[in-house]
Amino acid sequence: MMTSLSRHRTGACLALLAVVALAGCVRVSSGPAPVATPNGASGSSATLPPRPTIAPTEAPSPTPAPTATPDDGATPIEVSLLDSMAIDPKRITVEADKPVRFVITNKGALEHDFFIGSDREQKQRESGQGEPGPDRYVQVPPGETVTLLYTFPTEGRTIVGCVVPGHYSAGMKSNITIE
């Protein structure tokens, strides 16, 4: 027994099928409407414009190499921190008011750090007093290399040391002469 709901669904399905079937019979035209000729045929057939051809895509070019960073004028100085409680080199000479890039490598298995300051400041930091400030202090984990950019403002002398407790007092320091 067919209910009115079933008839309604059946009618809707048939209507949808009719629309789909008619859609296949419709011709889309982008040009002028066809004109009838005396023999009953269309004088100009309405056709779609030609499909554009798509050029084959080329393989993407490799990623370009990064551009080198311009030299910032800093003088590089390589420094090694050693588990023998030494900093190599033992003496460093720099120019006043010229930037220096310390390239510091911890060549040991122990934690080390690198602090620029007077003997008094070194001893204070080693005992855990005061703050060194990020502009003249870096930690250097075992096996890693860290850089520190610093400009010494005036001529004179100072020290770079490792202020991990016990390291500076064991002789882990280097003298800096600023000319």
Side-chain angles (χ1 to χ4, degrees):
M1 178 169 162
M2 188 176 268
T3 65
S4 64
L5 182 58
S6 298
R7 273 187 239 120
H8 178 70
R9 282 187 182 160
T10 303
C13 287
L14 289 174
L16 181 60
L17 285 172
V19 168
V20 171
L22 287 176
C25 298
V26 175
R27 176 184 269 178
V28 177
S29 170
S30 62
V35 179
T37 58
N39 63 5
S42 294
S44 78
S45 65
T47 59
L48 294 174
R51 290 187 178 171
T53 56
I54 300 173
T57 58
E58 296 178 19
S61 61
T63 304
T67 305
T69 306
D71 182 10
D72 59 7
T75 301
I77 297 177
E78 292 189 21
V79 177
S80 297
L81 307 177
L82 309 170
D83 285 351
S84 62
M85 298 301 128
I87 295 179
D88 185 38
K90 279 303 237 182
R91 298 189 194 299
I92 300 169
T93 302
V94 297
E95 290 184 58
D97 212 28
K98 299 244 177 152
V100 175
R101 180 182 303 101
F102 290 102
V103 181
I104 312 145
T105 303
N106 182 343
K107 293 192 174 181
L110 300 174
E111 289 289 329
H112 292 296
D113 53 25
F114 184 89
F115 174 59
I116 302 168
S118 68
D119 182 61
R120 183 178 58 74
E121 291 175 306
Q122 299 284 346
K123 289 175 181 174
Q124 286 176 335
R125 286 301 306 138
E126 185 181 33
S127 68
Q129 299 173 10
E131 287 297 317
D135 63 328
R136 55 189 184 130
Y137 171 82
V138 290
Q139 292 178 323
V140 189
E144 292 193 25
T145 298
V146 176
T147 61
L148 176 68
L149 189 63
Y150 191 77
T151 302
F152 296 89
T154 58
E155 293 180 0
R157 294 181 187 276
T158 193
I159 299 169
V160 62
C162 177
V163 292
V164 169
H167 291 203
Y168 182 75
S169 58
M172 195 165 184
K173 63 183 176 178
S174 180
N175 294 307
I176 299 178
T177 302
I178 308 135
E179 299 178 334

